[in-house]
Amino acid sequence: MIPMERASPEERRLLKLFRALEPQDRATLLAFAQFLMAGGAANDTRPSNQKDETDALAQQPRPEPRPQDESVIAAIKRLRRVYPMLDPGEMLHETSSLMAAHVLQGRDAGAVIDELEYLFSAHYEALSKSDAQEP
């Protein structure tokens, strides 16, 4: 028999809430959980000196083609690979707002992905300008 780990009070509460949701709302909750797992500053556990070395090597975007039927979550992951020099923590509010507009308000994925691409590009341009102005 495989030993079962006892669920924490938070896990039990989440499961109870999940079970009370309609199927469409369950899918929304799962999509949002996937989004949260996809990134954020809290997920970067590299030592700061390793971040600096890695970031210095990643100053240019690495373009990837946009898949035809790309999900919003997959687009965020792709854009983080394309723009590894950007701090996901600085963009978390804007990115999560766009994700919420898609998941919670039913906004079209293609339109949200277009805005995400613009957002990442604009942040990259701002970073490039600030780097160029440093002595």
Side-chain angles (χ1 to χ4, degrees), residues 79-91:
L79 290 166
R80 287 195 174 148
R81 287 191 307 270
V82 170
Y83 297 99
M85 72 293 296
L86 298 179
D87 180 1
E90 290 180 12
M91 300 175 60

Side-chain angles (χ1 to χ4, degrees), residues 71-119:
S71 71
V72 174
I73 293 168
I76 292 168
K77 289 179 181 181
R78 175 179 55 85
L79 290 166
R80 287 195 174 148
R81 287 191 307 270
V82 170
Y83 297 99
M85 72 293 296
L86 298 179
D87 180 1
E90 290 180 12
M91 300 175 60
L92 184 60
H93 177 71
E94 294 165 294
T95 306
S96 62
S97 292
L98 288 167
M99 179 67 183
H102 170 64
V103 172
L104 301 175
Q105 299 167 3
R107 214 162 144 221
D108 178 64
V112 170
I113 293 169
D114 289 342
E115 284 194 47
L116 284 166
E117 288 183 339
Y118 175 79
L119 173 69

Side-chain angles (χ1 to χ4, degrees), residues 34-100:
Q34 283 181 308
F35 165 71
L36 292 174
M37 289 299 299
N43 288 345
D44 193 354
T45 57
R46 295 177 292 163
S48 61
N49 63 341
Q50 185 181 358
K51 289 178 195 175
D52 293 340
E53 292 169 15
T54 304
D55 293 344
L57 297 173
Q59 291 302 314
Q60 296 297 316
R62 301 180 213 157
E64 291 183 23
R66 177 176 169 175
Q68 187 175 3
D69 294 327
E70 186 175 40
S71 71
V72 174
I73 293 168
I76 292 168
K77 289 179 181 181
R78 175 179 55 85
L79 290 166
R80 287 195 174 148
R81 287 191 307 270
V82 170
Y83 297 99
M85 72 293 296
L86 298 179
D87 180 1
E90 290 180 12
M91 300 175 60
L92 184 60
H93 177 71
E94 294 165 294
T95 306
S96 62
S97 292
L98 288 167
M99 179 67 183

Side-chain angles (χ1 to χ4, degrees), residues 4-23:
M4 296 291 287
E5 188 176 316
R6 193 171 177 126
S8 71
E10 292 87 7
E11 290 170 320
R12 290 191 302 269
R13 181 171 179 236
L14 182 59
L15 184 58
K16 184 177 179 180
L17 292 169
F18 181 81
R19 288 178 176 161
L21 294 172
E22 295 296 321

